[in-house]
Amino acid sequence: MTEPVRPREVAAIDIGSNSFHMVVARIVGQSLQIISRHKQRVHLASGLDEHQNLDQAAIQRGLNCLAMFAERLQGFEPENVRIAATYTLRQANNAHVFLKRAEALIPYPIEIIPGTEEARLIYLGVAHTQPDNGQKLIVDIGGGSTELVIGDGFTPQLAYSKHMGCVSYNKHYFAKGKISSKNMATAQLAAQQKLESIASKYTRMGWQTAIGSSGTIKAIREVLIGQGHSDGVITAKRLQQLYDAILKVKHSDDLDFAGLSDDRKPVFAAGVAILSAVFKSLDIKEMIFSDGALREGLLYEMEERFRHSDIRVRTASSMAKQYNVDIAQANRVKATAEQLYNQIEPQPGLTKIELATLLSWGALLHEVGLSISYPGFHRHSAYLLRHSTMPGFNLEQQTVLATLVRFQRKSLKLEEMPELSIYKRKHLYPLIRTLRLAVALNGQRSDDPLPAITVDADKEKWQLTLTEDWEESNRLLAADLRQEQEYWRKAGWELALTPESD
């Protein structure tokens, strides 16, 4: 009798500015079944000093929490776990210190995601956990940032992330827990100013339902329920009454609302000030709450990637179109890069499979910088890939793409390579060599097939073997490859060119 197949289990961790969350789910048929949730208040953002460095106490709180989460994840395969870090690690100059120490505790890569990617994943998490109700506005107030997204179905249409959160605003406007009408008004006005540049876009697009997610809005809802509003709907009137009730106390310790936990008290006034600003700026009448958020978005995307097409394919394709990339040439370079990389990594592990995918996208987008100018276009390409909004890509992946296209041609100033946390520099060197060769081999931009090529790689020493008479009919290519040999030599690498013997 055969053993029944165990359902696949996946886990997502959200390294937030206020709390760390972990959710574990089982994939059953076409749906996700949440089997456990874990939450730890870490107050990571409160450890950011005036130089945007995380203090040791905050780092240690975060590491203690991850060590606890790691116990639950024993035995999970890397492809079944995603860890996303948000605002505080985006801001922290010493984020690499936290990431390095976390490596020893939890054996899965931590992705620092851009604000717009955070917004997209939050939307996905809410959309999957709410009955579909037409066009929706989703607002998520975290510890360090607030995400605002309008979308329909599972497709976000407008997404922004703003630098305002309950922990950062509490630190800035409610020092030592002091509450006053002036502090509340100043915090609310600051949030309204942050929203000023985008408010009209949101009100023009419109929505049928406004939905709040995550801890701040959940806490506000629970307090409203404690005040007798059993439907839990946050209306503009109820929010104003709550705002006024907060002003009756002088210190956050004195907030005594049914439904408000002690550990939420310190940041509650800041959260209410931010949500009040959002309501006023976007003229929101009422808002419901959803349990779905970033971590659910990560879970559903893992399952989407497992079962359907990767959103990053759409991102890369639309970027190529946006910057008028010569698609025929991009596909030639991509095909050559994939052919060469498959020869040097015939059986790649998981990390190298992911890097091979990034190599393919790097090849597809290696000429986006031509839309700016030809001189130095590899640098322009790198800038666009590093700083553009690219749904589906985390910051590290964008850095890898930017690095590949930056080093696709000209001299190899490897000392300019950026620091990485998920991948290692040594992982990128074979990709850089592969892309450079693919670009050089397709330098004629011709549809004529390339001569048969084999590549043997032994660390920094690579050997290209081409057909015996290739040089006679490919003199320009031969000159380009000799120039490439010189670039490699100056970088301490070696490129040997050998004709195939009979």
Side-chain angles (χ1 to χ4, degrees), residues 89-134:
L89 286 185
R90 283 199 292 271
Q91 296 298 111
N93 292 322
N94 62 341
H96 61 283
V97 174
F98 179 86
L99 296 174
K100 194 52 142 174
R101 290 176 62 186
E103 262 181 43
L105 298 173
I106 195 158
Y108 307 102
I110 296 172
E111 311 170 46
I112 300 178
I113 57 174
T116 47
E117 177 66 0
E118 183 181 354
R120 185 186 70 80
L121 288 164
I122 288 166
Y123 180 86
L124 199 58
V126 173
H128 272 287
T129 49
Q130 281 293 118
D132 194 271
N133 37 24

Side-chain angles (χ1 to χ4, degrees), residues 160 162 191-202 204:
Y160 279 91
K162 289 292 178 181
Q192 284 180 261
Q193 286 175 311
K194 292 264 189 198
L195 296 166
E196 194 173 15
S197 61
I198 63 168
S200 61
K201 292 180 188 177
Y202 281 79
R204 269 201 308 274

Side-chain angles (χ1 to χ4, degrees), residues 219-234:
I220 291 169
R221 173 180 179 266
E222 285 170 358
V223 168
L224 291 177
I225 291 170
Q227 292 178 340
H229 305 294
S230 57
D231 59 7
V233 175
I234 303 168

